[in-house]
Amino acid sequence: MFSDVTTFCISFGNQGPRVWRKKGEAQNPRCLKSSVMFPQSVMVWGAMSSAGVGPLCFLRSKVNAAVHQEVLEHFMLPAADQLYGDADFIFQQDLAPAHSAKATSTWFKDHGIPVLNWPAISPDLNPIENLWGNVKRKMRYARPNNAEELKATIRATWALITPGRLHATPHCCSNLGKRSPN
């Protein structure tokens, strides 16, 4: 099972049309576009495997070891039950400080969950990065007005992901995340 956190912004993909202007039109109102310096955003944790995707967790705070363990308890464990039942699986996460904390390692040992060894600074190896990109592309033309509408759009887009779509998505998880015999 592959996992990661990403951020979605309300203005994602909402760049509007390009404006071509002639010399001297720089301050013409028809040639100006408003922008938001710090658009509303939401941080989301998700997990996927060749069997499908798990439930999303919208994070309200910076992720420390305690927050990460809560996500694991309330979102990763149900996702594992949903995707694998009683079958064994290996969990993947990056090397963020909350993930590599001693307390988090202890949590995994206490729950009997093996964690895939992962190289440092290697986001391009994680198939869920491609999945996040696909979700963001599918949301490109959504126009949420606030964080709640953004969350609803993310949930609706995530709900459309099926194992078949995961297998058909190039570089997403063609043969990755399948249960190993050990």
Side-chain angles (χ1 to χ4, degrees):
M1 179 186 308
F2 296 89
S3 70
D4 196 24
V5 172
T6 194
T7 301
F8 289 83
C9 293
I10 284 183
S11 65
F12 176 81
N14 186 5
Q15 303 302 316
R18 292 193 181 266
V19 176
W20 296 96
R21 62 181 183 218
K22 297 177 183 168
K23 191 174 184 176
E25 289 185 325
Q27 300 304 318
N28 184 328
R30 292 182 306 121
C31 299
L32 300 175
K33 179 182 158 212
S34 63
S35 64
V36 178
M37 187 73 89
F38 302 104
Q40 283 187 334
S41 63
V42 294
M43 191 166 40
V44 185
W45 177 92
M48 61 162 278
S49 76
S50 61
V53 296
L56 294 174
C57 175
F58 291 91
L59 301 163
R60 293 187 204 128
S61 64
K62 200 168 188 172
V63 179
N64 58 28
V67 169
H68 183 56
Q69 290 166 45
E70 291 230 356
V71 170
L72 295 171
E73 189 77 35
H74 299 289
F75 292 89
M76 189 276 286
L77 290 178
D81 286 342
Q82 170 191 333
L83 298 171
Y84 299 108
D86 291 333
D88 291 337
F89 69 97
I90 298 173
F91 186 70
Q92 180 282 331
Q93 59 185 358
D94 59 26
L95 295 175
H99 302 173
S100 56
K102 286 182 184 179
T104 301
S105 296
T106 301
W107 187 94
F108 280 110
K109 285 179 187 152
D110 291 349
H111 287 80
I113 299 170
V115 178
L116 183 65
N117 286 332
W118 202 249
I121 312 171
S122 57
D124 56 334
L125 294 178
N126 190 345
I128 199 169
E129 295 290 349
N130 295 311
L131 182 58
W132 288 132
N134 289 342
V135 169
K136 289 177 180 180
R137 275 189 295 284
K138 288 186 183 306
M139 292 176 51
R140 181 171 286 136
Y141 300 106
R143 303 283 193 245
N145 293 308
N146 55 48
E148 289 309 312
E149 287 181 17
L150 178 60
K151 288 179 187 179
T153 304
I154 295 166
R155 281 187 195 99
T157 306
W158 190 256
L160 298 174
I161 301 167
T162 63
R165 283 189 179 228
L166 292 172
H167 294 274
T169 303
H171 311 296
C172 191
C173 76
S174 53
N175 288 316
L176 299 173
K178 291 188 178 175
R179 293 185 291 262
S180 63
N182 52 355

